[in-house]
Structure formats: C-alpha cells, structure tokens
Amino acid sequence: MKIFATLAVLAFATGAAQAATYTLDFAGDICGTGTGACANGSAIAQGYGDVAGQLDVIYDGNAATGQQPLLHWGTGYETLGHVAYATASDTPFAIVFQAASGFEVAVEGFDIAPYANRVRNSMVTVVAEGMASPLLETGLFEVSTDGVTHFPLGSVFASSVTLVLGPDAWDVGIGNIVYTLRETGGAAAIPLPATGVLLIGGLAALGARRRRTV
C-alpha cells in the first residue's frame, strides 16, 4: 500500500470530552434497500455515515451539475473493494462531514484507486472549516495503478470538513474513509465554507464527460 504525503496539515488544540471513530467502507446495506449489499452502480443512501444529532455526512456525486447521489461499486478498483465514485465520467464528487452544534469532526485518512488498472489523472483536496489553508491539496497527479493509494491526514478537528476527489472520480474511486467525532462543549457548527464551494466549482470546470466500459 502506497502512502501519499499530506502537503499541509495543521492541528487545533481543544479539550475534548468524548470521541468516537467511524469508517465509511461502503460495504453492506448502505443503499437503504434492505436487501443486503449494494449492487454495482447503486446510489449510496444520504444517511450512510450519519450520527444522529451529532454529524451529517452529505454526498454530492456530481459536483459539476449540482448534488446527485454518490454511487457504489463492489470490485475492480485495484484491490480496494466497495468504493464510492461519481455519477458521471470526468466529474468530481464531494463528501461533506458536517458536525452538529457541540461537536467537531476530523477526517483521519482514506484510500483511492483507479478502475480496471486504468491510468488516470485526478486530484484530492480536503478543506476544514475555519482554516486558511487546505488540509490536503495534491494538485493534478497520475493515480497509481500499482495498488491502493492511502492519504493520512491525522486528527485535525473542525465544525465541518469537505473532501473533494476529481476531476476524474468515475474511474477513480474512494474507500475506507476514517473519521472521528468528538464533543466541543457547545461551539456552533458552520455550513460548508466558501473555499469548499470554490474548489468544487474549480474541479468541475476541469471535467469532460466519458463513459465507463465494463
């Protein structure tokens, strides 16, 4: 497993009362159908990963045209099983981790991999609310076809964290997103930052549509 170095990581010092760590592995009955594991191409339920009264995980599967479902795929992205990917070719997607009042969240790390050993260029950006610089901003790079690429971020807490993959998040999927939620003592959560909206728009402008062949 390859490790992709974080380009910028800043930490906040806070007195947390309680913390719990979760993983979005995109496996199991996450499409809300009640029939078990999702089929390939099924829409991931918006409630997947939420923590009632504490955290809302918001999926935007096509940041080029507005919020659409993020999709599930079981195998074929190198050795990374059960990935999430965008709803259209050469399109970025966004995942927002929005903490409720009195809580804050940190995205600890995640994995990406290309579909069917295809050589693709993409980029990854992670923005935390209230921070002047992104936690991670890779720029455009060639996604490794040698296996899974892992991005470690560490425990950087904020009221919201936005993760964007693209411009190709169709032939490049994501999995094993680890995030930690903790109490803050009552600080109000702030909506998706303007910086996050701008970076999503910038990635969308890079996309040109392409269709997958299986």
Side-chain angles (χ1 to χ4, degrees):
M1 180 178 289
K2 294 193 171 184
I3 303 294
F4 200 105
T6 305
L7 301 186
V9 175
L10 301 174
F12 295 157
T14 61
Q18 297 179 355
T21 298
Y22 306 86
T23 300
L24 298 178
D25 60 9
F26 302 107
D29 185 16
I30 65 169
C31 294
T33 63
T35 59
C38 293
N40 289 340
S42 296
I44 297 167
Q46 278 291 347
Y48 175 57
D50 290 359
V51 181
Q54 300 179 17
L55 181 75
D56 187 13
V57 181
I58 305 165
Y59 303 107
D60 185 354
N62 190 335
T65 61
Q67 188 170 330
Q68 296 184 24
L70 199 60
L71 304 180
H72 162 270
W73 199 267
T75 61
Y77 284 80
E78 301 296 328
T79 58
L80 184 58
H82 297 290
V83 306
Y85 70 99
T87 56
S89 57
D90 280 328
T91 297
F93 70 65
I95 303 176
V96 181
F97 297 83
Q98 181 68 65
S101 178
F103 294 89
E104 58 186 1
V105 63
V107 175
E108 309 281 355
F110 51 90
D111 298 329
I112 69 169
Y115 181 73
N117 206 40
R118 295 176 180 174
V119 177
R120 292 291 182 257
N121 291 328
S122 200
M123 60 191 295
V124 183
T125 307
V126 181
V127 175
E129 174 63 39
M131 297 185 64
S133 300
L135 300 179
L136 174 68
E137 191 171 34
T138 64
L140 201 65
F141 70 99
E142 185 176 290
V143 180
S144 174
T145 57
D146 291 336
V148 176
T149 302
H150 179 66
F151 294 82
L153 294 177
S155 299
V156 182
F157 286 88
S159 58
S160 68
V161 178
T162 302
L163 188 162
V164 181
L165 175 64
D168 191 343
W170 168 271
D171 280 327
V172 180
I174 194 169
N176 299 326
I177 306 174
V178 178
Y179 57 102
T180 298
L181 184 66
R182 72 183 185 186
E183 295 182 71
T184 62
I190 303 173
L192 175 64
T195 50
V197 175
L198 289 174
L199 72 89
I200 292 170
L203 286 172
L206 297 174
R209 298 178 68 86
R210 184 177 66 245
R211 299 185 66 85
R212 170 183 296 152
T213 57
V214 180

